[in-house]
Amino acid sequence: MQLASIVRNETGVDNAPTVVMLHGVFGRARNLGILQRALSPYFNTVAFDLRCHGDSPHAPISYPEMAKDVLESMDALGIQDAHIVGHSMGGKTAMATVLTAPDRFRKLLVADIAPDIMIHGQHDLAQQLYHTPLPTLNSHAEIRKFLHDLTEDPSVGELIAQHITPGDPAKWNIGVTDIVASFPVIQAWPDAFDGKTWDGPALFIRGGNSPYIKPQHHDVIRGYFPGADIKTIPNTGHWLHVEDPTNFNAMMLEFLRD
């Protein structure tokens, strides 16, 4: 599957190293704009809409299939090798892609997720959204109010709002059916990668207040990525790159430019 992408390169050279960027569940490529802006003076950056998200095709979700999507999309763009950065579901996809094609990646950066079963807080929300018919919503302001009343969390409402098109009734422009059906897979980690390792440079950045990478996950991470360094950004949760972009971008640039 070829994925929709946003390409940004402000290096002034055609052969700059590439950074592939992958968003989390209910996200899309354009949500990674703050990271792309930080990286684009030094790298060719490509942010992909993962399947069922943004402008990419809809299909059942699995990490082996999403890894193939990323590799096929890199081929379509003529990208032979790259660094890869992913958050949450995108972080698991990044890990899966590196383990699938280890020779095509230089460095791996994963934001706040481990290669293990992770119970996403979005699961109940996804079920609620799926079973709540969309009413008439004639503007993005009405969409945001509807989601705010439903989720009682403005940040989550803003994230989901980008996937609803105004109308009578409003319509989803995201693969909600496939996402909800695939949530057990999204939360899990496939047996297909058992016994595989990648010895390249890897950095896992966790939010200090997030439950997604705990001390017991460190050995799990290094079982697949023996060279992994694990760092923490204090006073941040799962959305650490949004909550503290200054520290996240500094860590990311130091790692990728070293």
Side-chain angles (χ1 to χ4, degrees):
M1 177 187 296
Q2 187 168 342
L3 303 172
S5 63
I6 298 174
V7 178
R8 184 167 182 156
N9 181 353
E10 298 171 0
T11 63
V13 297
D14 294 331
N15 62 345
T18 296
V19 179
V20 168
M21 311 176 73
L22 308 176
H23 62 80
V25 67
F26 292 128
R28 61 186 305 168
R30 70 186 185 199
N31 296 150
L32 300 173
I34 191 168
L35 276 64
Q36 276 196 289
R37 289 191 292 274
L39 290 168
S40 61
Y42 313 101
F43 300 95
N44 175 47
T45 65
V46 182
F48 287 123
D49 284 333
L50 295 174
R51 60 169 59 194
C52 295
H53 294 76
D55 295 321
S56 288
H58 299 173
I61 290 173
S62 78
Y63 290 113
E65 289 301 317
M66 287 198 290
K68 292 178 185 177
D69 294 345
V70 172
L71 294 168
E72 290 174 9
S73 301
M74 288 172 60
D75 291 342
L77 294 173
I79 300 169
Q80 298 304 313
D81 61 81
H83 306 311
I84 189 165
V85 175
H87 170 249
S88 196
M89 181 186 73
K92 283 188 173 181
T93 304
M95 290 185 268
T97 308
V98 166
L99 292 171
T100 300
D103 295 339
R104 296 191 64 174
F105 294 94
R106 302 182 184 187
K107 295 182 179 181
L108 165 70
L109 190 154
V110 175
D112 208 56
I113 204 74
D116 202 352
I117 297 173
M118 298 279 151
I119 304 302
H120 289 257
Q122 294 97 332
H123 179 261
D124 291 342
L125 174 61
Q127 292 286 343
Q128 184 181 16
L129 292 170
Y130 181 65
H131 293 292
T132 302
L134 292 178
T136 298
L137 299 168
N138 292 315
S139 68
H140 291 290
E142 290 184 9
I143 291 171
R144 288 193 293 272
K145 183 180 186 307
F146 168 75
L147 291 169
H148 180 271
D149 293 344
L150 196 65
T151 66
E152 299 182 350
D153 186 332
S155 61
V156 173
E158 288 290 335
L159 181 70
I160 304 298
Q162 65 188 328
H163 300 303
I164 298 176
T165 301
D168 180 16
K171 299 183 185 300
W172 289 104
N173 54 42
I174 189 174
V176 173
T177 300
D178 285 318
I179 292 171
V180 172
S182 301
F183 241 95
V185 174
I186 293 171
Q187 294 180 135
W189 176 250
D191 296 340
F193 299 114
D194 286 356
K196 293 189 176 183
T197 60
W198 186 72
D199 295 326
L203 174 63
F204 286 68
I205 307 177
R206 62 177 295 273
N209 299 333
S210 173
Y212 285 83
I213 297 181
K214 298 179 181 178
Q216 61 264 34
H217 294 128
H218 291 200
D219 287 343
V220 177
I221 289 169
R222 293 190 174 110
Y224 291 98
F225 307 101
D229 191 10
I230 302 169
K231 295 185 177 181
T232 299
I233 298 180
N235 303 314
T236 59
H238 187 54
W239 300 94
L240 65 174
H241 59 301
V242 176
E243 296 172 41
D244 191 348
T246 300
N247 278 326
F248 186 90
N249 288 347
M251 286 184 180
M252 176 176 65
L253 284 167
E254 180 182 17
F255 174 64
L256 295 179
R257 293 187 68 198
D258 184 12

